[in-house]
Amino acid sequence: MLMCKDLAAIASDYIDGELPVLQKMSVRMHLMMCRHCRTFIGNLRASSNLLSAHSSGKADEEFLRRIDERVAEALLSVRKNKDSDSE
Amino acid sequence: MTDSSRDNEAQLIQGMKAGDNESFQEAVRAYTPGMLAVARFYLDHSSAEEVVQDCWVKVIDAIRNFEGRSGLKTWLHRIVANRCKNRLRSANREVPTDFSESLEPELANRFNAKGRWDLPPKLQFHDSADTLMENGALSDCLDKHLSALPETQRSALMLYEAHQHKSDDVCNILDVSASNLRVLLHRARQKIFLMVETFQETGEC
Ligand SMILES: [Zn+2]
């Protein structure tokens, strides 16, 4: 018999559809009988959705501008090399 | 990926191949956060930023050989991962990882000896993710907890949830096995679950 603690340990695999069929079925059986685990799975799923909705990580603007500068510089030297090749 | 975002990506790639500065600026804004997440899996903060900068310069040449077999994002993340791995190899450093337990201790303590809930989750997270995110305090709290996660867990979580990579890609980029990725993801999600629970109960982070 699958206990609540066992279910909690594989809850992410269940949410992501990564469980083998038999295990998936025993999770479903357990969920039908256990209100606490239903709440847990629902809340864990909500936590996962929250992360997808959360900005996918911010990089600070100053760092981005430093990259822009280095890229612009490098592009310029690529262009110069091309021009001198074609002369 | 929708058709229109695929068209946008194709346009962006064309611009980058042509050496168009504006295309690069757009790409830098779209892809740098994800690239940083990859680099932070392997390296400390300042080394990670260094690697990401170097990669962008390298991309100027490399993009000409990009054939689009994978998406641009996956391609960029692989470049970053490879560079980080080389750097670790030359410094002879290993990535520290802990894959032993799949339950967070704080959650594991909430079951009795028979494995039934002792302290079950009290309330349901009622709001949808979008409504929850409109709550600025919760969003700040989430940021705080994300930055407190071990790098390995955070990177796995960000690549999988926020950047919507497939498991195979995350394993490939982070060089972890499929089962280890499952542990990383589950541990990180539990921490976020515990955080939201505390936040909903007490209104405090
Ligand atoms: Zn249960």
Side-chain angles (χ1 to χ4, degrees), chain A residues 45-81:
Chain A
R45 190 178 270 132
S47 309
S48 154
N49 291 338
L50 193 62
L51 282 161
S52 326
H54 192 60
S55 77
S56 43
K58 289 157 245 156
D60 72 336
E61 196 44 43
E62 203 206 299
F63 176 57
L64 295 176
R65 268 198 297 272
R66 275 209 306 273
I67 299 177
D68 287 343
E69 275 166 30
R70 278 194 63 186
V71 167
E73 234 169 71
L75 283 171
L76 211 61
S77 71
V78 169
R79 228 168 277 144
K80 269 190 202 138
N81 285 338

Side-chain angles (χ1 to χ4, degrees), chain A residues 2-5 7-8 30-31 33-38, chain B residues 111 115-117:
Chain A
L2 192 75
M3 300 307 291
C4 302
K5 193 176 180 180
L7 187 143
H30 184 107
L31 288 178
M33 299 179 301
C34 180
R35 177 168 58 90
H36 295 322
C37 282
R38 280 202 299 276
Chain B
F111 298 92
R116 292 208 174 86
W117 286 100

Side-chain angles (χ1 to χ4, degrees), chain B residues 154-169:
Chain B
R154 180 171 59 228
S155 304
L157 196 66
M158 292 317 267
L159 291 178
Y160 190 79
E161 310 265 31
H163 298 280
Q164 310 272 305
H165 272 298
K166 290 199 236 36
S167 308
D168 289 356
D169 284 337

Side-chain angles (χ1 to χ4, degrees), chain B residues 146-183:
Chain B
L146 280 172
S147 54
L149 287 179
E151 293 297 344
T152 47
Q153 287 180 23
R154 180 171 59 228
S155 304
L157 196 66
M158 292 317 267
L159 291 178
Y160 190 79
E161 310 265 31
H163 298 280
Q164 310 272 305
H165 272 298
K166 290 199 236 36
S167 308
D168 289 356
D169 284 337
V170 184
C171 290
N172 200 303
I173 290 164
L174 301 184
D175 230 356
V176 294
S177 70
S179 59
N180 287 350
L181 173 64
R182 300 305 317 163
V183 175

